[in-house]
Short mmCIF file of all heavy atoms in Angstrom, two decimals:
data_model
loop_
_atom_site.label_atom_id
_atom_site.label_comp_id
_atom_site.label_asym_id
_atom_site.label_seq_id
_atom_site.Cartn_x
_atom_site.Cartn_y
_atom_site.Cartn_z
N LEU V 152 15.54 -25.79 9.93
CA LEU V 152 16.34 -26.53 10.91
C LEU V 152 17.19 -25.66 11.77
O LEU V 152 17.65 -26.11 12.86
CB LEU V 152 17.20 -27.58 10.19
CG LEU V 152 16.44 -28.76 9.49
CD1 LEU V 152 17.52 -29.60 8.72
CD2 LEU V 152 15.73 -29.54 10.50
N PHE V 153 17.46 -24.43 11.30
CA PHE V 153 18.38 -23.60 11.94
C PHE V 153 17.84 -22.40 12.82
O PHE V 153 18.36 -22.08 13.84
CB PHE V 153 19.33 -22.95 10.87
CG PHE V 153 20.04 -24.05 10.07
CD1 PHE V 153 19.57 -24.31 8.84
CD2 PHE V 153 21.13 -24.72 10.55
CE1 PHE V 153 20.25 -25.31 8.11
CE2 PHE V 153 21.78 -25.66 9.83
CZ PHE V 153 21.35 -25.99 8.57
N GLN V 154 16.65 -21.83 12.32
CA GLN V 154 16.14 -20.78 13.06
C GLN V 154 14.71 -20.49 12.74
O GLN V 154 14.11 -21.11 11.77
CB GLN V 154 16.95 -19.47 12.79
CG GLN V 154 16.77 -18.85 11.38
CD GLN V 154 17.48 -17.54 11.25
OE1 GLN V 154 18.55 -17.49 10.75
NE2 GLN V 154 16.84 -16.47 11.70
N LYS V 155 14.10 -19.57 13.47
CA LYS V 155 12.74 -19.13 13.25
C LYS V 155 12.73 -17.78 12.52
O LYS V 155 13.59 -16.94 12.85
CB LYS V 155 12.00 -19.01 14.56
CG LYS V 155 10.50 -18.64 14.41
CD LYS V 155 9.83 -18.55 15.81
CE LYS V 155 9.60 -19.90 16.32
NZ LYS V 155 8.78 -19.91 17.55
N TYR V 156 11.80 -17.57 11.56
CA TYR V 156 11.78 -16.39 10.82
C TYR V 156 10.44 -15.64 11.16
O TYR V 156 9.37 -16.26 11.35
CB TYR V 156 11.84 -16.62 9.34
CG TYR V 156 13.10 -17.42 8.96
CD1 TYR V 156 13.10 -18.79 8.94
CD2 TYR V 156 14.24 -16.79 8.62
CE1 TYR V 156 14.23 -19.50 8.61
CE2 TYR V 156 15.39 -17.41 8.25
CZ TYR V 156 15.41 -18.80 8.26
OH TYR V 156 16.54 -19.50 7.92
N PHE V 157 10.48 -14.28 11.13
CA PHE V 157 9.27 -13.42 11.41
C PHE V 157 9.11 -12.49 10.28
O PHE V 157 9.99 -11.85 9.80
CB PHE V 157 9.47 -12.69 12.75
CG PHE V 157 9.68 -13.57 14.01
CD1 PHE V 157 10.93 -13.96 14.43
CD2 PHE V 157 8.53 -13.98 14.65
CE1 PHE V 157 11.07 -14.78 15.54
CE2 PHE V 157 8.66 -14.80 15.78
CZ PHE V 157 9.92 -15.24 16.21
N TYR V 158 7.78 -12.37 9.88
CA TYR V 158 7.45 -11.43 8.82
C TYR V 158 6.30 -10.61 9.20
O TYR V 158 5.39 -11.07 9.92
CB TYR V 158 7.07 -12.23 7.57
CG TYR V 158 8.25 -13.12 7.05
CD1 TYR V 158 8.28 -14.45 7.43
CD2 TYR V 158 9.18 -12.60 6.21
CE1 TYR V 158 9.27 -15.27 6.93
CE2 TYR V 158 10.29 -13.40 5.80
CZ TYR V 158 10.26 -14.72 6.16
OH TYR V 158 11.35 -15.51 5.74
N LEU V 159 6.33 -9.37 8.78
CA LEU V 159 5.20 -8.38 9.08
C LEU V 159 4.55 -8.04 7.66
O LEU V 159 5.32 -7.66 6.74
CB LEU V 159 5.64 -7.16 9.76
CG LEU V 159 6.13 -7.38 11.22
CD1 LEU V 159 6.85 -6.25 11.77
CD2 LEU V 159 4.91 -7.67 12.12
N THR V 160 3.32 -8.10 7.54
CA THR V 160 2.60 -7.88 6.26
C THR V 160 1.53 -6.79 6.46
O THR V 160 0.77 -6.82 7.37
CB THR V 160 1.92 -9.10 5.77
OG1 THR V 160 2.82 -10.19 5.63
CG2 THR V 160 1.22 -8.81 4.41
N TYR V 161 1.58 -5.76 5.59
CA TYR V 161 0.63 -4.68 5.61
C TYR V 161 -0.76 -5.23 5.21
O TYR V 161 -0.90 -6.11 4.37
CB TYR V 161 1.03 -3.56 4.72
CG TYR V 161 2.28 -2.91 5.15
CD1 TYR V 161 3.41 -2.83 4.28
CD2 TYR V 161 2.38 -2.16 6.33
CE1 TYR V 161 4.57 -2.22 4.65
CE2 TYR V 161 3.57 -1.55 6.63
CZ TYR V 161 4.68 -1.54 5.94
OH TYR V 161 5.82 -0.92 6.27
N THR V 162 -1.80 -4.69 5.87
CA THR V 162 -3.18 -5.18 5.62
C THR V 162 -4.19 -4.19 5.27
O THR V 162 -5.28 -4.47 5.00
CB THR V 162 -3.63 -5.90 6.96
OG1 THR V 162 -3.70 -4.95 8.03
CG2 THR V 162 -2.77 -7.03 7.32
N GLN V 163 -3.75 -2.86 5.30
CA GLN V 163 -4.71 -1.82 4.99
C GLN V 163 -4.23 -0.83 3.97
O GLN V 163 -2.97 -0.69 3.79
CB GLN V 163 -5.01 -1.01 6.29
CG GLN V 163 -5.71 -1.80 7.36
CD GLN V 163 -6.00 -0.98 8.59
OE1 GLN V 163 -5.36 -0.03 8.85
NE2 GLN V 163 -7.15 -1.35 9.31
N GLY V 164 -5.13 -0.21 3.29
CA GLY V 164 -4.77 0.72 2.28
C GLY V 164 -5.98 1.63 1.82
O GLY V 164 -7.08 1.35 2.11
N VAL V 165 -5.71 2.59 0.94
CA VAL V 165 -6.70 3.41 0.36
C VAL V 165 -6.42 3.35 -1.14
O VAL V 165 -5.30 3.55 -1.60
CB VAL V 165 -6.67 4.86 0.78
CG1 VAL V 165 -7.67 5.68 0.07
CG2 VAL V 165 -6.86 4.88 2.33
N MET V 166 -7.44 2.97 -1.94
CA MET V 166 -7.25 2.85 -3.41
C MET V 166 -6.77 4.19 -3.98
O MET V 166 -7.28 5.27 -3.64
CB MET V 166 -8.55 2.43 -4.06
CG MET V 166 -9.03 1.03 -3.56
SD MET V 166 -7.88 -0.34 -3.86
CE MET V 166 -7.68 -0.27 -5.67
N MET V 167 -5.86 4.15 -4.95
CA MET V 167 -5.28 5.31 -5.50
C MET V 167 -6.36 6.16 -6.32
O MET V 167 -6.22 7.36 -6.42
CB MET V 167 -4.12 5.02 -6.37
CG MET V 167 -2.78 4.92 -5.62
SD MET V 167 -2.36 6.37 -4.58
CE MET V 167 -2.50 7.72 -5.82
N TYR V 168 -7.35 5.52 -6.81
CA TYR V 168 -8.41 6.27 -7.53
C TYR V 168 -9.21 7.15 -6.59
O TYR V 168 -9.70 8.14 -6.92
CB TYR V 168 -9.27 5.36 -8.36
CG TYR V 168 -10.07 4.34 -7.66
CD1 TYR V 168 -11.22 4.66 -6.85
CD2 TYR V 168 -9.70 3.02 -7.75
CE1 TYR V 168 -11.91 3.65 -6.20
CE2 TYR V 168 -10.46 1.99 -7.07
CZ TYR V 168 -11.48 2.36 -6.30
OH TYR V 168 -12.23 1.37 -5.69
N GLU V 169 -9.19 6.79 -5.21
CA GLU V 169 -9.82 7.54 -4.27
C GLU V 169 -8.91 8.72 -3.85
O GLU V 169 -9.33 9.84 -3.67
CB GLU V 169 -10.18 6.72 -2.99
CG GLU V 169 -11.13 5.55 -3.25
CD GLU V 169 -12.53 6.11 -3.46
OE1 GLU V 169 -12.86 7.31 -3.54
OE2 GLU V 169 -13.47 5.28 -3.67
N ILE V 170 -7.62 8.44 -3.77
CA ILE V 170 -6.67 9.48 -3.43
C ILE V 170 -6.58 10.60 -4.55
O ILE V 170 -6.54 11.71 -4.30
CB ILE V 170 -5.25 8.89 -3.22
CG1 ILE V 170 -5.23 7.94 -2.02
CG2 ILE V 170 -4.19 10.02 -3.01
CD1 ILE V 170 -5.49 8.62 -0.71
N ARG V 171 -6.76 10.06 -5.77
CA ARG V 171 -6.75 11.02 -6.92
C ARG V 171 -7.91 11.96 -6.79
O ARG V 171 -7.82 13.13 -7.09
CB ARG V 171 -6.82 10.20 -8.22
CG ARG V 171 -6.86 11.10 -9.45
CD ARG V 171 -6.69 10.38 -10.74
NE ARG V 171 -6.53 11.32 -11.84
CZ ARG V 171 -6.15 10.91 -13.07
NH1 ARG V 171 -5.98 9.61 -13.31
NH2 ARG V 171 -6.04 11.78 -14.06
N LYS V 172 -9.07 11.43 -6.38
CA LYS V 172 -10.25 12.32 -6.19
C LYS V 172 -9.93 13.35 -5.12
O LYS V 172 -10.31 14.58 -5.22
CB LYS V 172 -11.45 11.46 -5.84
CG LYS V 172 -11.94 10.62 -6.91
CD LYS V 172 -13.11 9.71 -6.38
CE LYS V 172 -13.52 8.66 -7.32
NZ LYS V 172 -14.58 7.81 -6.77
N LEU V 173 -9.31 12.97 -4.10
CA LEU V 173 -8.97 13.85 -2.91
C LEU V 173 -7.98 14.93 -3.33
O LEU V 173 -7.98 16.04 -2.85
CB LEU V 173 -8.45 13.04 -1.78
CG LEU V 173 -9.39 12.06 -1.11
CD1 LEU V 173 -8.68 11.32 0.07
CD2 LEU V 173 -10.64 12.86 -0.53
N MET V 174 -7.07 14.60 -4.24
CA MET V 174 -6.05 15.53 -4.74
C MET V 174 -6.68 16.65 -5.63
O MET V 174 -6.12 17.71 -5.66
CB MET V 174 -4.99 14.82 -5.45
CG MET V 174 -4.08 13.95 -4.60
SD MET V 174 -2.54 13.34 -5.41
CE MET V 174 -3.19 12.29 -6.59
N ASN V 175 -7.82 16.25 -6.27
CA ASN V 175 -8.58 17.29 -7.07
C ASN V 175 -7.71 17.91 -8.10
O ASN V 175 -7.70 19.14 -8.28
CB ASN V 175 -9.17 18.36 -6.10
CG ASN V 175 -10.25 19.10 -6.90
OD1 ASN V 175 -10.90 18.59 -7.87
ND2 ASN V 175 -10.50 20.34 -6.45
N ILE V 176 -6.86 17.08 -8.88
CA ILE V 176 -6.09 17.66 -9.89
C ILE V 176 -6.76 17.41 -11.18
O ILE V 176 -7.31 16.38 -11.52
CB ILE V 176 -4.73 16.78 -9.94
CG1 ILE V 176 -3.95 16.95 -8.66
CG2 ILE V 176 -3.82 17.24 -11.12
CD1 ILE V 176 -2.74 16.07 -8.57
N GLN V 177 -6.84 18.47 -11.99
CA GLN V 177 -7.43 18.45 -13.27
C GLN V 177 -6.66 17.59 -14.16
O GLN V 177 -5.40 17.54 -14.13
CB GLN V 177 -7.55 19.82 -13.92
CG GLN V 177 -8.55 20.74 -13.16
CD GLN V 177 -8.73 22.10 -13.89
OE1 GLN V 177 -8.04 22.34 -14.86
NE2 GLN V 177 -9.66 22.91 -13.41
N ALA V 178 -7.30 16.76 -15.00
CA ALA V 178 -6.62 15.87 -15.96
C ALA V 178 -5.70 16.66 -16.82
O ALA V 178 -6.15 17.71 -17.33
CB ALA V 178 -7.65 15.04 -16.71
N GLN V 179 -4.51 16.12 -17.13
CA GLN V 179 -3.58 16.77 -18.01
C GLN V 179 -3.99 16.56 -19.46
O GLN V 179 -4.38 15.47 -19.85
CB GLN V 179 -2.16 16.19 -17.77
CG GLN V 179 -1.63 16.38 -16.43
CD GLN V 179 -0.17 15.92 -16.32
OE1 GLN V 179 0.74 16.71 -16.68
NE2 GLN V 179 0.04 14.69 -15.79
N PRO V 180 -4.07 17.64 -20.24
CA PRO V 180 -4.49 17.47 -21.59
C PRO V 180 -3.49 16.62 -22.45
O PRO V 180 -2.39 16.76 -22.21
CB PRO V 180 -4.54 18.94 -22.09
CG PRO V 180 -3.55 19.69 -21.25
CD PRO V 180 -3.69 18.99 -19.93
#
């Protein structure tokens, strides 16, 4: 009744398991 509200929502991403591959870090023992 008092005002209009505006929201922005992110829509894109890269799965972290893909980023982990790109980082090429050896698994910690």
Side-chain angles (χ1 to χ4, degrees):
L152 293 175
F153 303 100
Q154 73 174 96
K155 183 177 287 188
Y156 302 91
F157 297 92
Y158 301 95
L159 291 166
T160 303
Y161 294 118
T162 62
Q163 294 183 332
V165 178
M166 299 302 296
M167 274 305 305
Y168 60 75
E169 299 287 3
I170 297 294
R171 181 171 187 170
K172 295 175 188 176
L173 295 176
M174 291 191 293
N175 195 27
I176 299 173
Q177 293 185 353
Q179 299 185 82

